[in-house]
Amino acid sequence: KQEVTQIPAALSVPEGENLVLNCSFTDSAIYNLQWFRQDPGKGLTSLLLIQSSQREQTSGRLNASLDKSSGRSTLYIAASQPGDSATYLCAGVSGGSYIPTFGRGTSLIVHP
Amino acid sequence: DTGVSQDPRHKITKRGQNVTFRCDPISEHNRLYWYRQTLGQGPEFLTYFQNEAQLEKSRLLSDRFSAERPKGSFSTLEIQRTEQGDSAMYLCASVKGGQRNYGYTFGSGTRLTVV
């Protein structure tokens, strides 16, 4: 059974910092890994999807990497802004069930 | 493509009442998922459908919960005899199945409060 862990649980940084959010998973036979953003009381917004054959994906100031051998993915946010404040969740899909398994998320606050 | 729609956005109900939520997936997505999320936790899988067939249910889905997707389009999630522990955000997601390389699209969720 896939288990996903996210570290840190919470992060507070000043505006402009580059930061890294971590996601670890136990089943290296992962099909894909997806990063989401969730604002308080809202649904999930997809940020990046990394296929098992890929090492990284980029969108604007976001870059996500995937290392199946070590069971890790990272989300890199460059030049953070207050508008980046949200909870970031990663979800891995593995096995034959096509069911994403989520971590608990990292709650990010970027202060001006 | 109007995204995944969930209705209602918020529901407050008294303990013991039945509630029903609706999810309309993206039209060409044949797989539909229900998740539950409580404060400070990640979404937890409840059940999923491929077309109209319910393929898997989590142990979290007690006998008081039932989900349907009668025509392989929209889905409903019903909770009978609600309890305070059912208070959570209920999220629906859809994906174009058949291949495992597509990303999942989530709706805005239904926030249930049981008083």
Side-chain angles (χ1 to χ4, degrees), chain A residues 21 33-34 36 68:
Chain A
L21 309 182
L33 189 133
Q34 196 166 355
F36 295 88
K68 291 195 299 179

Side-chain angles (χ1 to χ4, degrees), chain A residues 32 34 38 51 98 100, chain B residues 31 33 35 37 100-101 104:
Chain A
N32 61 50
Q34 196 166 355
Q38 186 174 34
Q51 311 293 352
Y98 302 97
Chain B
R31 287 200 175 144
Y33 298 72
Y35 282 80
Q37 185 181 27
R100 49 195 191 217
N101 294 333
Y104 294 73

Side-chain angles (χ1 to χ4, degrees), chain B residues 34-50:
Chain B
W34 286 99
Y35 282 80
R36 181 174 69 186
Q37 185 181 27
T38 52
L39 197 63
Q41 303 295 315
E44 296 174 296
F45 169 74
L46 292 177
T47 188
Y48 92 96
F49 294 83
Q50 179 163 308

Side-chain angles (χ1 to χ4, degrees), chain A residues 38-44, chain B residues 6 8-10 21 34-39 42-44 46 77 86-92 107-113:
Chain A
Q38 186 174 34
D39 293 293
K42 307 293 185 182
L44 277 61
Chain B
Q6 292 190 245
R9 293 292 305 275
H10 304 277
F21 310 141
W34 286 99
Y35 282 80
R36 181 174 69 186
Q37 185 181 27
T38 52
L39 197 63
E44 296 174 296
L46 292 177
L77 177 68
D86 298 330
S87 296
M89 173 78 88
Y90 290 84
L91 294 161
C92 176
S108 298
T110 293
R111 167 74 64 188
L112 173 66
T113 303

Side-chain angles (χ1 to χ4, degrees), chain A residues 10-62:
Chain A
L11 189 59
S12 179
V13 300
E15 181 177 5
E17 275 205 5
N18 301 325
L19 50 101
V20 174
L21 309 182
N22 296 292
C23 172
S24 351
F25 46 91
T26 54
D27 185 356
S28 61
I30 196 164
Y31 297 152
N32 61 50
L33 189 133
Q34 196 166 355
W35 283 91
F36 295 88
R37 168 185 172 138
Q38 186 174 34
D39 293 293
K42 307 293 185 182
L44 277 61
T45 300
S46 179
L47 297 174
L48 290 164
L49 171 70
I50 311 176
Q51 311 293 352
S52 60
S53 58
Q54 298 173 322
R55 293 298 300 268
E56 63 179 70
Q57 281 286 333
T58 298
S59 176
R61 294 182 294 108
L62 305 179

Side-chain angles (χ1 to χ4, degrees), chain B residues 31-104:
Chain B
R31 287 200 175 144
L32 184 149
Y33 298 72
W34 286 99
Y35 282 80
R36 181 174 69 186
Q37 185 181 27
T38 52
L39 197 63
Q41 303 295 315
E44 296 174 296
F45 169 74
L46 292 177
T47 188
Y48 92 96
F49 294 83
Q50 179 163 308
N51 300 313
E52 66 275 11
Q54 188 173 18
L55 295 188
E56 192 159 336
K57 293 191 289 187
S58 160
R59 282 174 288 181
L60 293 175
L61 212 66
S62 75
D63 292 344
R64 297 184 297 105
F65 288 69
S66 62
E68 293 183 342
R69 194 182 183 198
K71 297 183 180 179
S73 56
F74 73 91
S75 175
T76 58
L77 177 68
E78 181 183 17
I79 308 174
Q80 297 182 326
R81 304 181 303 282
T82 52
E83 302 173 354
Q84 287 189 322
D86 298 330
S87 296
M89 173 78 88
Y90 290 84
L91 294 161
C92 176
S94 69
V95 67
K96 187 174 181 180
Q99 307 213 12
R100 49 195 191 217
N101 294 333
Y102 291 100
Y104 294 73

